[in-house]
Amino acid sequence: MNFEEVATNLLGKRKDELLKELYELSVEYRKEEELYSILIQLHNEKKIDVISAFEQIQRDNESYDFFMLQRMLERILPKINYDSVESVMKVLKRCMILVTGNMTSGLLVNPFIEFCKQNEKRIEEALGLSLKSLDKEIDFISIVLLAGLEVDFDKYYKQLEILIGDLDEIVQIGAVRVLGQFYSQSETRNIHKSFELLKKVIHETEKVNIKEVALKSLCKLLILDVKLEKEGIEIIEHVLFKPTDTMLYNIAELLFFYNKNLSWKLKDYLWSQLKAINPKHNDTIRNIDHALYSIAEENKSKAIQYLEKILLENLNGIGVENFCVFKSFLMKNEKSLNYLVTKWLLSKNITLCKYAYELIPSSENGRAISIDKRLALLLKKEDYLFLAKKSCGYLFTKPVSALSYLVSLLESSPFDKGIIDIEELIYDPILINYSGKTREYLYKIYSQSSAKVRNSLDRVTKRLDKYLNEIKSINYIAEFEPTSKQREAYSRYWNDSFSAKDLQPKGFFSSFFKTQVLLYGSSSINYIIHNPNEKGQRQEVFMHPQTISTELPRMSIINPIVLDYRLTMFRVEGCEK
Amino acid sequence: MKLIIKEYLSSLKERGELDILLPTLLSQMGLEVFSKPLSSGNRQYGVDVAVCGHIEGGEKTVYLFSIKSGDLGRKDWNSNSKQDMLPSLQDIINVYLAVHLPEQYKGLPVSICICCGGIIKEEIRIDVSAFEKTNTKDNIKFEEWTGDKISGYIEKYLLREELLPEGSQKLLRKSIAMLEEPETSYKYFKELITQIVNNVTAKDKSKLIALRQIYLAVGILFSWSRDDNYYESAYLSSELALLYAFEILKPFLVKNSKISKVMKEIFYSIIKLHFEINAEFIEKKVLSQANKLHGLSYMVRTNNSIDINLKLFDILGRISLMGIWGYWFIEMKREDKSFISKMETIITMLHHSIIEVIQNNPTLYMPYKDSQAIDIALAYLFLSSNKNNLMFLHDYFGTLINQIEFQLYARKDKYPCNIEDYSKLLHHSENDTQEYFESVTQGSILYPLISMISAKNGFDDIYEKIQILQKKYLKHCNFQIWYPDKNSEKHYYLNDELHGATLSNVAIDADKEEYLDQVFGECKHLSIFEEISSFKYGYWTIGLLASRHYRLPVPICLFNINE
């Protein structure tokens, strides 16, 4: 497709048709950059009006894909001419609002800065417009100031200083935000100048919103010049005397995005400030999670140290479950997982022991883990039984994990006397409760185990077989069965419990689909209509059975009280906190 | 109906069943029973039952019955056993009639009755006919009383419309038909028994008939249960039958008349029938699994721990009551040493079994319902009769209270509560607020019972633990003890109205002597041994059975019986 062909497709189209055509071109046209050049040319020659077409863009329009068009705008905006800056700002705002909360929401900022930089008049006009109609949703002030600072630093820095003193909070925030954004490391003079300015703002303002933005800007300056760190930390301490959710979010964001740029001293300090995180603030937690992952790749022990600190200082609903990215790191690093589980089970701290459970994925019956070999070197005789009890108490509902850990204790323990106690725990509560998956696991590891472990396993499996055979030999006695009324009541109770689950909100994945219930049959027939004028295409989908099996601990039915009591005792025995 | 009765008759055992039913029937037919089976079960020169009188307007005759259970075949006719029918008949002719027939019946025509619960099999038909023909004389005839004939008489003399309320036979049929749904079967049986009791008039004869009908109804239900190997309805129905029958018997307990003796005998037969049902169920089905770890718990076959808990406490109550019946039988039959020895063996076995059942089924260490104190009380009454069990009882109550303490401390969902409704019990775990906890633990008979047991037996650690539990977690709970009162005698056995009085807020915070004084002091206001007929006249097991069946607390005074 060449210039003429593209032009033929686009010329004379109405605004709504133009977007559709642009989209189709972006799909069909393989050479992306070439297409963008043609579009810029057509626009600048006023043959088409891209900006006015984007004024009506919608996110859920079936004729085009919003994100592809947004990308197109991102690429052509810096190079197009347009008389009305206001119109461009409107388009920008519309696009940004349509993707609020989405990672792509900031994609158009830099192209707009580039657009403004092409002509200083655009900057002046945009700044005027931003100050005239203050926008709470989009911070045009800082965007335009950034463009200005790049064009004429002194002029716009003065402007910035004036705006910081403005009476309106929106204006102040916009200006303060810019202070952390426009430097390269060579501009030490300007960095110091801005540092002083921020210091002044922080000490003088009473407004929390401004302090929140100032904190972020300040941290960015500290990244640029380590010399400022000592004084900067003192200022941050002052701000964080009363931390808000946004301040903690800002810190978490910095730790995530600037992990590699922050010094260890500053990192240590900022991590130590992540107390009292609001468990509902998912974005903050997500940023911490990613930051932990980045640190773990660099320095595992630091990551663990930070994680422990957060877990112990945020006892308000934040647990290991919240850090799935970091967990995925542990899944890939068996040694780290074993180290952390062993460390936490040994910690005598109930909170950390609970989190040891969360470290292991909840799928199936838990994955196999083992004692950390380095930590094992430091253990005394009684520590083995202590760890065995803790693993039973905390990992009980992930039986393969609990069992594998117990077996690893058997394997690594140099003390013969404690073996019987660990063996007893392998039998009861683990094997006696879960004789399915755990048995499979034992078969799997048997041949690789030492003679010492094999002897123990022989003894416990023999006991288990005896117990299971006795159960099997029990006669069916109708008199012991629950009455029909009880059965009905239980069935109702069970169904109600499930119905209640059905009413729960849809998950992320299921929200994409519409559920259809088939009352009869084993396949579903649908007619897919591609073109309204054509007959639909018949499609038959055969249903396949899906089963999930899970093993319930026997004693939760037979002997729940004692099971509960024993597990509780295993958990708390010997713990200090 | 005749088919049902025939089926019942064919299932009856020779000893203790058919030979008990037959005199009852013959008496009801207006005949004078002058010889019944010996307690040893041995025949008197071939005769099991001997009666004299007219049957359906016939000549006054002496009827001599030789009884065999089930069908009469070659094996029972003559297989070189002393108990066979042929030698028995020969004994009747050669010995009984010659030397043993009471003087007053001599000279009367004699009918020798070959009696069996089923049929006379064709394989011996010629032998029987030949024997009858050879030995028939002017004053000696032979009659064949098979299941068919007996059931005809039962229908005519015990269950006919004039004797039984309309629809009663139908209720019995329904109860049998629904044996596999014990609750429904029991419901119909209860209706039947209620109709029988309501049909009783002021006449003694009417009461006698009612007792016989109750006996027959329980017997028929039991025989069908035995066939189905499913005793639940028979067990519950026989408990109810005993209680209703006792209500009828009550006025005769003080009397020494002939009819009161007959009534006591029939009542005793119902007790034996109940004990047999109990024994069939407990010994054969329950205790065979008692020595297995979690054996009885698995037998409940459920995914729900509540089912196991409810069933096992129920079973605990039943086994204990069976043991208590054992003591009662020993008291009744003091003179029969072999019977006493047999019963003592059963009691020892039951003591041992209860301990095994508890140790192997840990759910019994935690009552989910406060009312399970009734079963615990029965178990204690039975086990404490042997001082050797006291150490076990101390351990049992110690563990039980420790577990309750753990549940209350950790605010778990399994602690003794006042919820009786099964559905509500299922939802019990969903609410863990203090308000809810207080609403389902408003009152307790369990803690005062264990306190009393502990105080009495010197289980000081447990006594003190309960004091602590009350202070810490159960201040709101009304610790109470139930006592029968003046109205109790009227309603104890039919449970047709609330009765008894409750001592509220018993002071378990007091020292144990003071506590025992308070608990047993209240017994002085109404002595159950003077006011409640079952305790007064030696049928104390009936009082305990009423407690189990109607879920009434066991009268606390019984725990002070030694003093």
Side-chain angles (χ1 to χ4, degrees):
Chain A
M1 204 176 273
N2 54 28
F3 181 86
E4 282 72 27
E5 284 171 327
V6 173
T8 315
N9 279 336
L10 297 178
L11 294 184
K13 297 285 182 202
R14 291 197 317 269
K15 283 182 190 176
D16 53 333
E17 289 172 341
L18 188 58
L19 280 181
K20 192 182 163 197
E21 286 301 328
L22 287 172
Y23 166 69
E24 281 174 6
L25 278 172
S26 69
V27 174
E28 289 165 23
Y29 215 98
R30 302 278 171 206
K31 294 173 184 168
E32 209 180 28
E33 292 305 320
E34 204 175 289
L35 173 67
Y36 296 150
S37 302
I38 296 170
L39 293 177
I40 291 164
Q41 191 181 342
L42 285 168
H43 176 88
N44 289 345
E45 287 171 5
K46 299 197 174 174
K47 288 178 178 159
I48 58 169
D49 185 345
V50 175
I51 297 299
S52 84
F54 269 84
E55 279 171 356
Q56 303 301 321
I57 194 168
Q58 293 165 340
R59 183 161 173 181
D60 300 320
N61 195 310
E62 286 180 2
S63 317
Y64 52 78
D65 178 71
F66 170 83
F67 293 100
M68 284 191 81
L69 290 176
Q70 187 186 230
R71 179 174 162 73
M72 182 183 280
L73 184 63
E74 181 196 338
R75 305 302 292 272
I76 63 174
L77 184 59
K79 291 177 185 168
I80 59 172
N81 300 324
Y82 207 69
D83 294 339
S84 169
V85 176
E86 190 175 7
S87 299
V88 178
M89 286 167 80
K90 272 183 188 167
V91 167
L92 200 71
K93 184 179 175 184
R94 182 175 179 85
C95 290
M96 287 166 96
I97 287 172
L98 283 175
V99 289
T100 303
N102 189 295
M103 284 179 81
T104 64
S105 62
L107 284 181
L108 291 172
V109 172
N110 281 332
F112 180 68
I113 290 173
E114 291 304 317
F115 169 78
C116 292
K117 275 162 65 181
Q118 280 182 41
N119 185 341
E120 203 190 332
K121 278 186 183 169
R122 288 181 188 165
I123 299 173
E124 283 167 3
E125 189 184 343
L127 191 58
L129 287 166
S130 309
L131 292 171
K132 193 176 157 195
S133 56
L134 296 171
D135 198 327
K136 276 189 178 177
E137 290 166 305
I138 311 289
D139 177 15
F140 275 114
I141 294 171
S142 63
I143 297 171
V144 179
L145 278 174
L146 277 173
L149 285 165
E150 286 191 35
V151 171
D152 185 344
F153 183 83
D154 291 335
K155 179 181 169 188
Y156 286 97
Y157 197 83
K158 269 183 196 160
Q159 183 86 51
L160 187 149
E161 285 174 320
I162 295 165
L163 292 178
I164 282 178
D166 197 283
L167 292 175
D168 197 285
E169 195 177 290
I170 296 173
V171 178
Q172 282 181 300
I173 287 172
V176 171
R177 184 174 284 128
V178 177
L179 284 176
Q181 291 187 349
F182 61 91
Y183 316 92
S184 69
Q185 271 175 324
S186 58
E187 293 171 297
T188 320
R189 192 178 62 86
N190 293 335
I191 293 169
H192 283 241
K193 200 172 158 188
S194 298
F195 181 79
E196 291 304 319
L197 191 53
L198 274 172
K199 207 164 87 179
K200 191 168 170 260
V201 170
I202 288 169
H203 285 300
E204 286 176 2
T205 187
E206 291 294 318
K207 294 172 184 169
V208 174
N209 291 348
I210 294 173
K211 280 189 176 174
E212 285 166 350
V213 181
L215 174 74
K216 197 173 172 182
S217 296
L218 186 76
C219 289
K220 285 183 178 173
L221 293 183
L222 300 186
I223 294 169
L224 297 168
D225 189 348
V226 188
K227 284 178 199 158
L228 296 172
E229 224 170 59
K230 194 181 170 204
E231 195 183 353
I233 287 174
E234 281 170 17
I235 301 166
I236 297 170
E237 254 173 11
H238 170 75
V239 179
L240 289 178
F241 183 68
K242 281 183 185 170
T244 62
D245 283 350
T246 312
M247 286 177 192
L248 296 177
Y249 169 80
N250 288 342
I251 291 178
E253 194 184 47
L254 275 164
L255 288 169
F256 170 30
F257 288 104
Y258 299 93
N259 172 47
K260 293 220 164 90
N261 310 92
L262 292 165
S263 70
W264 281 111
K265 190 182 170 193
L266 187 55
K267 269 194 257 191
D268 282 348
Y269 174 72
L270 290 177
W271 277 101
S272 73
Q273 298 308 306
L274 291 172
K275 297 170 202 162
I277 299 162
N278 186 346
K280 288 177 188 164
H281 227 286
N282 290 333
D283 291 339
T284 307
I285 295 168
R286 198 180 303 127
N287 283 335
I288 294 173
D289 191 13
H290 284 282
L292 276 174
Y293 185 90
S294 311
I295 292 172
E297 284 188 318
E298 197 183 338
N299 185 336
K300 284 173 208 157
S301 61
K302 269 282 180 199
I304 290 170
Q305 186 191 322
Y306 291 153
L307 176 66
E308 280 179 4
K309 207 161 177 53
I310 285 179
L311 292 175
L312 292 174
E313 288 183 353
N314 290 279
L315 300 172
N316 49 358
I318 295 173
V320 174
E321 292 289 359
N322 295 95
F323 304 111
C324 28
V325 179
F326 180 69
K327 269 178 76 178
S328 72
F329 167 81
L330 290 177
M331 290 313 101
K332 286 182 265 172
N333 291 274
E334 200 179 327
K335 275 188 185 171
S336 301
L337 177 66
N338 291 339
Y339 170 76
L340 204 47
V341 170
T342 307
K343 183 175 186 280
W344 285 0
L345 290 181
L346 272 174
S347 69
K348 299 190 176 176
N349 182 315
I350 289 174
T351 310
L352 287 180
C353 286
K354 278 182 191 168
Y355 293 140
Y357 168 84
E358 287 185 19
L359 286 173
I360 301 159
S362 51
S363 59
E364 296 175 2
N365 296 296
R367 69 180 259 177
I369 53 167
S370 68
I371 185 172
D372 180 74
K373 283 176 186 152
R374 279 174 302 150
L375 288 174
L377 296 173
L378 307 171
L379 296 185
K380 286 178 274 177
K381 189 177 139 194
E382 59 271 23
D383 292 335
Y384 280 91
L385 186 59
F386 179 83
L387 270 177
K389 286 183 179 174
K390 292 288 164 272
S391 59
C392 285
Y394 288 102
L395 309 179
F396 180 73
T397 53
K398 289 169 181 168
V400 170
S401 304
L403 176 64
S404 57
Y405 200 79
L406 288 166
V407 171
S408 77
L409 288 174
L410 273 184
E411 190 80 77
S412 61
S413 172
F415 310 104
D416 288 345
K417 278 193 178 173
I419 283 181
I420 296 294
D421 295 328
I422 299 173
E423 208 178 285
E424 184 60 37
L425 292 171
I426 289 179
Y427 174 69
D428 183 13
I430 304 299
L431 291 183
I432 205 168
N433 277 291
Y434 304 94
S435 49
K437 290 272 174 201
T438 53
R439 200 61 188 272
E440 281 172 26
Y441 174 76
L442 290 184
Y443 282 133
K444 214 166 84 182
I445 58 150
Y446 188 82
S447 58
Q448 303 143 23
S449 306
S450 66
K452 177 177 75 172
V453 171
R454 280 210 295 269
N455 286 339
S456 286
L457 297 185
D458 286 341
R459 283 193 290 270
V460 288
T461 47
K462 201 172 164 190
R463 274 176 80 186
L464 181 68
D465 286 340
K466 188 175 174 254
Y467 176 73
L468 294 178
N469 286 335
E470 277 202 353
I471 293 172
K472 275 183 203 157
S473 72
I474 290 167
N475 299 325
Y476 169 73
I477 291 174
E479 287 89 342
F480 270 64
E481 269 216 335
T483 64
S484 51
K485 267 188 191 166
Q486 287 174 336
R487 282 199 302 270
E488 281 163 23
Y490 185 65
S491 162
R492 247 192 330 271
Y493 166 74
W494 187 250
N495 288 335
D496 288 350
S497 311
F498 269 94
S499 312
K501 277 179 191 156
D502 286 345
L503 293 174
Q504 285 172 6
K506 281 184 173 183
F508 170 76
F509 192 62
S510 55
S511 64
F512 286 109
F513 306 102
K514 188 185 169 195
T515 308
Q516 286 195 323
V517 176
L518 303 185
L519 298 175
Y520 307 98
S522 61
S523 66
S524 164
I525 300 164
N526 288 291
Y527 281 84
I528 312 292
I529 299 164
H530 295 290
N531 186 335
N533 304 322
E534 288 174 12
K535 203 181 161 190
Q537 191 184 344
R538 185 179 186 276
Q539 199 171 61
E540 187 171 359
V541 180
F542 289 92
M543 290 190 276
H544 299 281
Q546 294 283 338
T547 55
I548 296 171
S549 67
T550 185
E551 215 179 339
L552 286 174
R554 269 196 192 87
M555 294 308 128
S556 68
I557 297 161
I558 299 293
N559 188 11
I561 310 279
V562 173
L563 177 68
D564 194 10
Y565 181 77
R566 285 187 71 202
L567 294 180
T568 306
M569 286 301 139
F570 287 157
R571 286 177 198 140
V572 299
E573 209 177 276
C575 282
E576 286 156 3
K577 288 184 182 175
Chain B
M1 193 65 198
K2 198 173 173 183
L3 279 174
I4 288 173
I5 301 167
K6 270 173 77 177
E7 189 69 34
Y8 157 60
L9 290 171
S10 70
S11 74
L12 290 182
K13 292 178 203 158
E14 184 179 323
R15 295 283 160 249
E17 292 187 358
L18 194 53
D19 62 0
I20 287 181
L21 173 75
L22 202 64
T24 308
L25 171 66
L26 294 166
S27 290
Q28 184 62 31
M29 288 165 74
L31 295 152
E32 182 195 352
V33 180
F34 64 87
S35 175
K36 280 199 264 185
L38 298 172
S39 57
S40 62
N42 290 335
R43 293 183 174 122
Q44 298 183 55
Y45 308 106
V47 173
D48 286 307
V49 177
V51 297
C52 177
H54 311 267
I55 291 181
E56 298 188 332
E59 196 181 355
K60 188 175 182 183
T61 306
V62 172
Y63 294 91
L64 304 173
F65 289 84
S66 187
I67 303 172
K68 275 278 152 208
S69 64
D71 294 339
L72 186 63
R74 176 76 56 208
K75 199 162 58 75
D76 308 303
W77 176 249
N78 189 15
S79 59
N80 293 326
S81 163
K82 224 180 151 187
Q83 299 299 316
D84 284 344
M85 183 59 89
L86 182 62
S88 296
L89 295 174
Q90 284 163 343
D91 271 358
I92 294 174
I93 295 163
N94 300 333
V95 186
Y96 191 91
L97 287 176
V99 296
H100 205 73
L101 184 70
E103 200 58 39
Q104 66 268 36
Y105 303 115
K106 284 184 177 165
L108 289 171
V110 173
S111 187
I112 298 171
C113 303
I114 301 169
C115 178
C116 66
I119 56 163
I120 296 172
K121 287 185 177 172
E122 279 309 303
E123 62 193 26
I124 56 162
R125 169 50 52 209
I126 295 173
D127 302 71
V128 175
S129 302
F131 181 83
E132 286 174 2
K133 198 172 176 186
T134 312
N135 292 288
T136 300
K137 291 175 186 163
D138 282 350
N139 62 338
I140 300 176
K141 290 187 296 176
F142 286 89
E143 283 185 35
E144 291 171 8
W145 282 56
T146 59
D148 190 53
K149 184 167 184 163
I150 301 169
S151 57
Y153 284 139
I154 287 175
E155 216 177 7
K156 189 168 179 184
Y157 289 96
L158 277 170
L159 303 177
R160 70 172 193 262
E161 293 292 323
E162 306 91 275
L163 301 175
L164 206 59
E166 201 181 335
S168 295
Q169 290 191 18
K170 205 172 166 185
L171 285 171
L172 183 58
R173 285 199 296 273
K174 279 183 176 176
S175 182
I176 292 166
M178 298 307 290
L179 275 173
E180 285 187 11
E181 291 292 339
E183 282 180 319
T184 317
S185 171
Y186 170 80
K187 191 188 101 190
Y188 288 129
F189 194 86
K190 188 175 181 183
E191 276 183 51
L192 167 71
I193 300 286
T194 309
Q195 282 193 3
I196 291 173
V197 173
N198 291 343
N199 202 39
V200 167
T201 63
K203 289 180 185 170
D204 289 353
K205 208 178 167 189
S206 150
K207 289 169 183 160
L208 180 63
I209 291 171
L211 276 192
R212 283 174 173 157
Q213 286 169 337
I214 289 174
Y215 171 71
L216 186 69
V218 176
I220 291 175
L221 195 71
F222 177 38
S223 78
W224 281 80
S225 299
R226 197 154 47 186
D227 269 5
D228 287 3
N229 196 26
Y230 194 9
Y231 297 98
E232 189 63 7
S233 169
Y235 181 86
L236 296 172
S237 301
S238 68
E239 277 193 338
L240 185 81
L242 265 180
L243 295 166
Y244 276 52
F246 190 78
E247 184 66 23
I248 298 171
L249 181 73
K250 256 167 37 181
F252 298 89
L253 291 170
V254 275
K255 295 177 189 168
N256 246 333
S257 62
K258 198 178 165 191
I259 196 161
S260 69
K261 273 185 183 168
V262 175
M263 288 190 69
K264 282 174 197 167
E265 277 175 16
I266 297 170
F267 186 72
Y268 186 74
S269 302
I270 304 174
I271 290 176
K272 275 178 70 182
L273 201 53
H274 169 68
F275 189 77
E276 203 180 332
I277 295 169
N278 218 339
E280 287 261 340
F281 173 58
I282 301 286
E283 280 180 41
K284 284 187 187 164
K285 293 193 163 189
V286 180
L287 300 186
S288 61
Q289 313 290 335
N291 61 348
K292 290 179 183 164
L293 179 63
H294 305 145
L296 298 191
S297 304
Y298 278 112
M299 275 159 63
V300 185
R301 292 190 190 241
T302 177
N303 289 329
N304 179 4
S305 67
I306 295 171
D307 292 338
I308 296 175
N309 187 270
L310 299 186
K311 180 49 79 178
L312 261 65
F313 270 101
D314 178 51
I315 295 294
L316 179 69
R318 291 189 198 193
I319 307 174
S320 306
L321 200 51
M322 183 181 167
I324 291 169
W325 274 113
Y327 281 118
W328 184 83
F329 278 118
I330 288 175
E331 207 175 280
M332 287 288 113
K333 296 254 182 182
R334 283 184 201 279
E335 72 292 351
D336 190 340
K337 284 188 179 162
S338 77
F339 177 82
I340 288 175
S341 154
K342 204 174 135 192
M343 257 325 147
E344 279 174 346
T345 310
I346 293 176
I347 286 169
T348 309
M349 184 262 295
L350 289 175
H351 274 157
H352 179 68
S353 298
I354 287 182
I355 293 173
E356 264 189 337
V357 165
I358 292 174
Q359 286 173 336
N360 283 328
N361 298 280
T363 192
L364 287 170
Y365 284 98
M366 171 53 79
Y368 287 8
K369 299 202 291 190
D370 190 77
S371 62
Q372 285 165 332
I374 297 161
D375 305 301
I376 291 173
L378 291 173
Y380 169 77
L381 276 178
F382 177 55
L383 288 178
S384 62
S385 60
N386 183 340
K387 296 292 170 209
N388 292 333
N389 293 330
L390 280 182
M391 194 183 283
F392 167 78
L393 285 166
H394 173 261
D395 291 348
Y396 173 67
F397 287 114
T399 310
L400 186 146
I401 287 299
N402 278 342
Q403 294 204 359
I404 292 177
E405 186 190 22
F406 170 67
Q407 291 289 314
L408 295 178
Y409 164 75
R411 187 49 66 75
K412 303 277 178 174
D413 59 328
K414 305 224 170 0
Y415 46 81
C417 66
N418 300 133
I419 300 171
E420 288 299 321
D421 182 273
Y422 179 78
S423 303
K424 285 184 184 163
L425 213 50
L426 289 175
H427 290 276
H428 178 51
S429 60
E430 291 164 10
N431 196 333
D432 61 355
T433 61
Q434 177 66 19
E435 196 185 1
Y436 175 77
F437 169 69
E438 288 183 12
S439 76
V440 294
T441 51
Q442 287 178 334
S444 175
I445 57 164
L446 176 74
Y447 301 108
L449 172 80
I450 302 176
S451 291
M452 181 275 293
I453 290 170
S454 304
K456 221 172 123 47
N457 292 290
F459 303 162
D460 294 353
D461 51 337
I462 302 170
Y463 186 77
E464 284 159 19
K465 185 65 89 46
I466 298 174
Q467 288 180 323
I468 295 167
L469 283 188
Q470 193 204 24
K471 267 186 210 151
K472 266 186 163 176
Y473 310 105
L474 296 162
K475 270 185 184 161
H476 61 279
C477 179
N478 179 6
F479 281 21
Q480 53 197 278
I481 293 176
W482 178 83
Y483 298 85
D485 66 3
K486 283 176 190 166
N487 285 324
S488 292
E489 173 60 12
K490 216 169 153 188
H491 307 292
Y492 216 113
Y493 313 104
L494 300 184
N495 199 37
D496 45 359
E497 258 182 49
L498 286 176
H499 60 92
T502 298
L503 176 65
S504 276
N505 300 312
V506 286
I508 68 150
D509 52 344
D511 66 49
K512 58 182 188 179
E513 285 77 20
E514 209 180 310
Y515 176 67
L516 289 176
D517 283 348
Q518 185 192 16
V519 169
F520 294 126
E522 196 61 37
C523 297
K524 288 170 195 155
H525 294 285
L526 183 127
S527 167
I528 56 168
F529 301 104
E530 285 166 19
E531 305 286 342
I532 308 294
S533 53
S534 57
F535 297 102
K536 187 176 177 183
Y537 297 109
Y539 290 93
W540 40 274
T541 35
I542 296 293
L544 293 174
L545 191 143
S547 287
R548 204 204 83 77
H549 194 84
Y550 297 132
R551 309 312 289 162
L552 267 176
V554 174
I556 209 87
C557 315
L558 289 177
F559 295 84
N560 206 25
I561 210 157
N562 299 334
E563 289 152 32

